[in-house]
């Protein structure tokens, strides 16, 4: 009932950032190679776009402005 998409490896290859619909919204998840653990690291709803690694331990994603739904949600609902 959930999907993972837009995977991006950290520069050192130790972490895989990806977006997922698990939990009913699009959020950021990280898989750690050493522990083989997957964890949700951002609970807020994200825009659809590939996560960007700033370093081996820092990753960023786009979020909608405060109080607004993501663009993809607005397009789907208003269509």
């Amino acid at each position: 009932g959930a999907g993972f998409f837009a995977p991006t490896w950290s520069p050192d290859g130790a972490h895989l950032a990806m977006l997922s619909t698990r939990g009913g919204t699009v959020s950021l998840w990280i898989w750690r190679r050493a522990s083989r653990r997957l964890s949700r690291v951002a609970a807020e709803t994200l825009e659809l776009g590939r996560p960007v690694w700033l370093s081996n331990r820092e990753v960023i994603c786009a979020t909608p402005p405060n109080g607004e739904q993501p663009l993809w949600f607005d397009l789907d609902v208003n269509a």
Side-chain angles (χ1 to χ4, degrees), residues 11 23 43 51 55 62-63 76:
S55 70
T63 61
D76 189 46

Side-chain angles (χ1 to χ4, degrees), residues 70-79:
L71 179 61
W72 58 267
F73 181 84
D74 279 346
L75 290 175
D76 189 46
V77 170
N78 292 326

